[in-house]
Amino acid sequence: MFYLARIHPPDDDATFPLSLLSREAMRRLRHPVDLTLDQAEPVDLARRLRHSARRRWQRRVGEPVLFTRLTDPIEHAAFVGNFLVPLHQTLGRGIRGNEPVLVYLCDAAFAPRTANLDETASDTPRTSVIVAAQQLLHGWLADPGPTATATERLDQALAQACWGLASHLLDNIDWGHR
């Protein structure tokens, strides 16, 4: 399997801004506003939520999404998560039927420092979407510890079932510098 170009959304793709709004909506559903801290009326809260979502949407729509320029940690993680989905789906299709698959990431944009044989610095989660994906997956798959709630243990088990193979594959990349 050859990836001739790094997966990256085109400028007119609304997927990234929509994923940011969806993430925020899910966060608010899982952790509703504590009304003891905010005595606003429900209508005012809804209006503020809508205004905040509209601001984020207007800021992101039409603006080029460039991986190396995403400084907001939430937006950076969302971009990396969006990158992982089609990569993981394609790899999953490749290994169906227990077939071995070799994957070649041909575009230097996947890990620019690693691709440059004269570069001495290693890629980081800021420079390489692959390194950022490894970091994100490690966070998702980390052992929640002995004091974890049942929900935290379930979230980690689900992450392991969904993303464990992808993490293993990314952690075992042969960077070709032999």
Side-chain angles (χ1 to χ4, degrees):
M1 191 174 302
F2 291 87
Y3 281 90
L4 300 177
R6 181 185 67 186
I7 302 164
H8 202 287
D11 292 346
D12 62 348
D13 186 354
T15 304
F16 184 65
L18 284 172
S19 71
L20 293 174
L21 293 176
S22 295
R23 181 197 178 282
E24 182 65 15
M26 291 305 298
R27 185 188 69 76
R28 289 185 186 275
L29 285 172
R30 289 183 78 170
H31 306 286
V33 175
D34 183 353
L35 293 177
T36 60
L37 297 175
D38 190 344
Q39 297 299 323
E41 292 294 318
V43 171
D44 292 332
L45 283 173
R47 187 175 293 124
R48 285 196 313 217
L49 290 172
R50 187 178 69 234
H51 181 71
S52 171
R54 184 179 296 131
R55 261 196 335 264
R56 183 173 284 233
W57 174 261
Q58 289 169 341
R59 186 171 59 89
R60 273 286 161 224
V61 170
E63 179 182 288
V65 178
L66 302 171
F67 169 72
T68 56
R69 293 191 187 161
L70 291 173
T71 57
D72 181 288
I74 291 171
E75 291 183 0
H76 190 263
F79 181 94
V80 174
N82 286 353
F83 161 82
L84 276 170
V85 171
L87 180 73
H88 192 256
Q89 287 174 335
T90 305
L91 296 174
R93 288 182 185 105
I95 63 173
R96 281 189 184 147
N98 202 26
E99 292 296 322
V101 174
L102 292 175
V103 179
Y104 296 91
L105 305 174
C106 300
D107 189 350
F110 280 108
R113 291 180 180 171
T114 301
N116 181 352
L117 297 178
D118 295 329
E119 177 67 62
T120 57
S122 297
D123 273 298
T124 69
R126 303 287 332 141
T127 64
S128 168
V129 71
I130 296 297
V131 175
Q134 289 171 313
Q135 182 184 57
L136 184 66
L137 289 170
H138 291 167
W140 290 349
L141 300 174
D143 185 335
T147 60
T149 65
T151 300
E152 290 167 333
R153 286 192 303 277
L154 176 62
D155 285 349
Q156 193 276 336
L158 290 170
Q160 183 63 46
C162 293
W163 296 102
L165 177 61
S167 181
H168 175 76
L169 293 172
L170 292 178
D171 286 344
N172 290 287
I173 286 178
D174 174 359
W175 292 100
H177 286 213
R178 291 181 183 174

